[in-house]
Amino acid sequence: MKILVTGAAGFIGMHTCLRLLARGDEVVGLDNLNDYYDVKLKESRLALLQEFANFRFIKMDLANNAAVADLFASEQFQRVVNLAAQAGVRYSLKNPHAYIQSNIVGFTNVLEGCRHQHVEHLVYASSSSVYGANTTMPFSVHQNVDHPVSLYAATKKANELMAHTYSHLYALPTTGLRFFTVYGPWGRPDMSPFLFASAILEGRAIDVFNHGKMQRDFTYIDDIVEGIVRVLDKTAEADPAFDNAHPDSASSYAPYRLYNIGNHEPVMLMDFIETIEQAIGKTAEKNFLPMQDGDVVATYADTESLQQAIDFAPRTPLKEGIGKFVAWYREYYKQPA
């Protein structure tokens, strides 16, 4: 298939491209290479992708509607994986306009491109952050998510609503994936595994928010990519059992689906830090701090719907995943073992 992957120079985007390229798909990778974090890391990821003859990279901002429309018209993609977004909960408190341009305007342009060029299936990244103030565990795609606690979360919820509108109006098959704290080799520098590992290796103290009383459903990158590709191959369809009088937010009378992708095994933050310490062989100095605005105490994914749909659930143990991440970090940044 000919597949567009947006955010191709990103953490999840690069790994998704590698998987699609390895199975023989033609992949066009799009990214604007913004400087939200180290551009050199993004360029290093791209260098891996450009070793494949069936990969092409296009530097483009999804908020440029004319350029995106021309791209879709000229390339005639069969399927699209939209992983481009302005990421980060905390940064959304400082620069809200970046989230509107990338996550709302950019996603609108992707939807329009898919609509006009009759794309077979659009798979897009949502986030566990949409659960916001909800405290019912585990988080289920069947629950109400109308109380976001960050603008980032609000834009992701908006993406789900926008996708449903296009599925309804234009019969565009769309599937949204709510990712739960993804980690692994080539990960993002603003995420906790990266922040903790770099600080411990360099002898700096780590910041531990909410005094360590946090839980996260950490999900290894290979599991995330397996879920993305399996979902991409299973085109969203209308739910024949959908009841408009008792609507289920995870499905529809239109070709629309939502799934969680998480490890279904939340880990206490202090246990997570200890796992990194063991992998590195060094104890971290810790600064215990209060909760940050826009953050949530816990995440925990109910993945039953995903298992039923694609016969897959994440299964990489935390110790194994962290070991692989630390090994990559040491090699990439030339840190002694």
Side-chain angles (χ1 to χ4, degrees):
M1 291 186 290
K2 187 175 186 179
I3 300 171
L4 171 66
V5 178
T6 71
F11 171 38
I12 301 175
M14 181 209 76
H15 282 279
T16 301
C17 287
L18 284 174
R19 174 65 188 276
L20 295 171
L21 292 165
R23 75 176 194 176
D25 291 318
E26 179 185 354
V27 177
V28 175
L30 183 149
D31 205 290
N32 67 358
L33 297 177
N34 69 36
D35 61 358
Y36 170 64
Y37 63 81
D38 184 14
V39 175
K40 289 183 179 179
L41 178 59
K42 298 180 181 182
E43 291 171 341
S44 295
R45 294 179 185 139
L46 277 179
L48 289 180
L49 300 176
Q50 287 166 333
E51 295 177 5
F52 289 81
N54 48 332
F55 177 80
R56 284 185 295 122
F57 174 66
I58 296 173
K59 185 178 180 181
M60 183 183 293
D61 193 325
L62 281 179
N64 185 334
N65 63 325
V68 173
D70 288 345
L71 175 72
F72 272 84
S74 62
E75 294 287 350
Q76 296 292 304
F77 304 112
Q78 292 169 271
R79 302 193 178 187
V80 174
V81 183
N82 185 61
L83 301 172
Q86 178 56 61
V89 168
R90 291 160 194 162
Y91 186 62
S92 70
L93 304 179
K94 300 175 184 177
N95 192 358
H97 295 287
Y99 291 76
I100 300 303
Q101 285 300 307
S102 180
N103 301 5
I104 302 298
V105 176
F107 191 60
T108 301
N109 292 336
V110 169
L111 287 168
E112 279 288 281
C114 291
R115 165 203 170 186
H116 288 293
Q117 303 308 324
H118 308 291
V119 166
E120 297 171 5
H121 193 194
L122 166 63
V123 175
Y124 62 95
S126 185
S127 168
S128 62
S129 67
V130 301
Y131 290 102
N134 180 18
T135 58
T136 302
M137 299 288 173
F139 292 154
S140 167
V141 288
H142 308 294
Q143 293 168 352
N144 178 287
V145 289
D146 288 341
H147 299 87
V149 295
S150 70
L151 182 64
Y152 170 69
T155 64
K156 288 299 184 180
K157 169 62 175 174
N159 287 170
E160 296 175 0
L161 296 172
M162 294 159 71
H164 184 271
T165 303
Y166 274 69
S167 295
H168 162 72
L169 290 173
Y170 310 113
L172 171 66
T174 67
T175 301
L177 299 174
R178 294 175 177 171
F179 298 145
F180 281 68
T181 318
V182 189
Y183 75 99
W186 297 98
R188 277 178 23 213
D190 63 323
M191 297 289 284
S192 58
F194 204 110
L195 293 169
F196 292 158
S198 62
I200 294 168
L201 285 164
E202 294 166 17
R204 293 181 284 107
I206 64 173
D207 291 336
V208 182
F209 293 102
N210 201 35
H211 305 283
K213 298 173 183 176
M214 308 266 277
Q215 278 186 311
R216 288 291 181 272
D217 204 335
F218 292 100
T219 318
Y220 189 63
I221 184 62
D222 288 358
D223 291 328
I224 288 287
V225 170
E226 180 69 22
I228 291 170
V229 173
R230 289 198 188 197
V231 165
L232 182 66
D233 291 342
K234 185 180 177 61
T235 303
E237 297 178 345
D239 181 359
F242 187 81
D243 182 357
N244 287 73
H246 302 90
D248 175 8
S249 60
S251 67
S252 177
Y253 55 84
Y256 170 90
R257 287 289 189 277
L258 280 175
Y259 300 112
N260 287 332
I261 297 189
N263 211 40
H264 193 60
E265 193 173 320
V267 176
M268 292 299 299
L269 180 58
M270 296 307 296
D271 293 337
F272 179 72
I273 293 170
E274 183 180 352
T275 303
I276 296 177
E277 291 173 329
Q278 291 173 348
I280 292 174
K282 187 178 178 181
T283 301
E285 180 185 347
K286 303 171 184 72
N287 290 328
F288 289 96
L289 300 169
M291 190 77 160
Q292 287 191 306
D293 288 341
D295 216 340
V296 296
V297 173
T299 64
Y300 177 8
D302 179 343
T303 58
E304 183 180 355
S305 295
L306 183 75
Q307 288 177 268
Q308 290 176 350
I310 61 171
D311 191 29
F312 174 76
R315 54 178 58 88
T316 303
L318 183 67
K319 184 177 181 180
E320 177 185 333
I322 288 296
K324 290 179 178 179
F325 167 73
V326 169
W328 166 82
Y329 185 96
R330 280 182 154 142
E331 180 181 359
Y332 183 78
Y333 289 101
K334 298 179 172 56
Q335 294 275 357

